[in-house]
Amino acid sequence: MQDKQNENQDKIRLQLFLARCGVASRRASEKIITDGRVSVNGAIVKELGTKVSLEDVVCVDDKQIHLEETKRYVLLNKPKGYICSLSDDRGRLMAVDLLRNKYPERLYNVGRLDMFSEGLIIFTNDGDFAAKLSHPSAELEKEYVVDTSLPIPRNLAERFKKGIRIDDVFYRCKDAQEINSHRIRIVLIEGKNREIRRVFESVEVGIKRLTRVRIGSLHIEGLESAQSRELTKEEVTGLLDLCKCNSSNDKNF
């Protein structure tokens, strides 16, 4: 009985194993599992409660995966025209391709920027780190600069801070400051899908350029388009300290 208990203690949930192997974040790994892309010891597994040990042979898309010893935390200034995905059947440029020759580990993006947006995005192979930054309660600030083709309505910044409902979806930024008639700075902490673009579409103002210039304590200054750099230990710790979610409630095993 004691041996059985020790064996169970050595096992971790399959989605956490995938995350620690650098396959994807824990949340994204759950979808990879339920889509039937993962096998354990030759058998396809779709149950999220499945646990595995280091002795198990785990494959994703028929390729065996292994725990990565080196944890990477990379900041990329994503250019316009690149998508935030690890694969694409349409042959589009992927932001992760800008990192493949520089970092040997399997890295994945924490959060997203749409294809036509540019600026800062974090890549990692640390599933715990990605989960904490991506958690809805983390409230990690992301700051954007938006350049428009037409003058920005004078009341838009205040409306966005109070909240705007579009097609039954409520959008509200943490802060918005108009820089000039065609440029505005916006801070989000949640970031719904295409939130900024949807708000500007609702007032019929086109966006010429949308750039994420800050994630938490990380700023874009000094990082040219398509350039990347590794985060320091202090920067990684600083990001985690900014996250408001209680990691003690995050059950890993």
Side-chain angles (χ1 to χ4, degrees):
M1 179 66 71
Q2 186 65 41
D3 290 342
K4 186 67 174 179
Q5 290 177 346
N6 291 337
E7 180 182 347
N8 289 335
Q9 289 176 354
D10 291 337
K11 292 189 173 185
I12 62 175
R13 293 190 178 188
L14 184 56
Q15 57 265 42
L16 179 58
F17 184 82
L18 264 62
R20 290 184 174 176
C21 289
V23 173
S25 68
R26 202 180 317 166
R27 185 179 300 177
S29 293
E30 292 178 353
K31 186 175 189 307
I32 292 173
I33 294 169
T34 56
D35 284 346
R37 297 170 56 190
V38 181
S39 66
V40 179
N41 300 325
I44 297 294
V45 174
K46 295 185 179 181
E47 296 295 328
L48 295 180
T50 302
K51 292 188 175 183
V52 296
S53 69
L54 293 178
E55 286 70 38
D56 292 314
V57 177
V58 180
C59 297
V60 177
D61 297 332
D62 299 323
K63 294 181 180 179
Q64 188 173 356
I65 59 175
H66 304 274
L67 292 176
E68 293 186 340
E69 297 181 2
T70 302
K71 296 299 182 185
R72 296 282 185 188
Y73 310 91
V74 178
L75 185 66
L76 171 70
N77 185 350
K78 184 189 87 69
K80 181 179 179 180
Y82 286 75
I83 65 170
C84 293
S85 178
L86 299 183
S87 62
D88 183 60
D89 55 10
R90 296 165 60 183
R92 292 174 295 181
L93 296 171
M94 296 183 294
V96 71
D97 289 336
L98 298 171
L99 307 175
R100 295 192 193 278
N101 292 333
K102 193 173 180 180
Y103 306 100
E105 293 80 16
R106 295 178 56 166
L107 303 178
Y108 51 87
N109 45 286
V110 181
R112 292 177 180 271
L113 281 174
D114 68 49
M115 181 176 179
F116 301 105
S117 299
E118 55 194 284
L120 298 182
I121 187 162
I122 297 171
F123 282 79
T124 188
N125 61 347
D126 185 340
D128 293 332
F129 172 79
K132 288 170 184 174
L133 263 62
S134 303
H135 197 280
S137 65
E139 297 187 6
L140 188 66
E141 290 186 359
K142 291 95 173 177
E143 185 174 337
Y144 303 80
V145 171
V146 182
D147 294 296
T148 62
S149 56
L150 295 174
I152 301 167
R154 288 294 180 183
N155 64 343
L156 183 60
E158 290 303 317
R159 286 182 58 207
F160 202 176
K161 285 191 287 186
K162 291 179 181 178
I164 300 174
R165 186 170 296 279
I166 304 171
D167 297 333
D168 294 328
V169 180
F170 189 69
Y171 299 102
R172 182 168 60 189
C173 66
K174 182 175 182 179
D175 192 26
Q177 294 181 352
E178 189 175 321
I179 300 172
N180 58 45
S181 62
H182 288 71
R183 175 172 287 189
I184 188 172
R185 189 177 298 269
I186 297 170
V187 178
L188 302 179
I189 57 174
E190 183 178 1
K192 297 183 176 72
N193 183 39
R194 299 186 75 252
E195 178 165 354
I196 293 175
R197 294 190 183 278
R198 292 290 305 278
V199 168
F200 277 82
E201 287 170 1
S202 72
V203 294
E204 299 182 343
V205 173
I207 292 178
K208 293 174 59 178
R209 188 176 186 184
L210 196 163
T211 308
R212 183 191 283 167
V213 297
R214 179 173 64 88
I215 301 175
S217 53
L218 306 176
H219 295 262
I220 200 169
E221 285 82 2
L223 199 63
E224 298 295 329
S225 180
Q227 285 188 343
S228 63
R229 68 171 180 85
E230 287 196 63
L231 301 183
T232 65
K233 291 182 179 180
E234 292 75 17
E235 286 175 326
V236 172
T237 301
L239 285 173
L240 293 175
D241 287 344
L242 288 173
C243 294
K244 295 184 179 180
C245 53
N246 185 354
S247 59
S248 63
N249 293 329
D250 188 12
K251 299 185 182 300
N252 295 336
F253 298 92

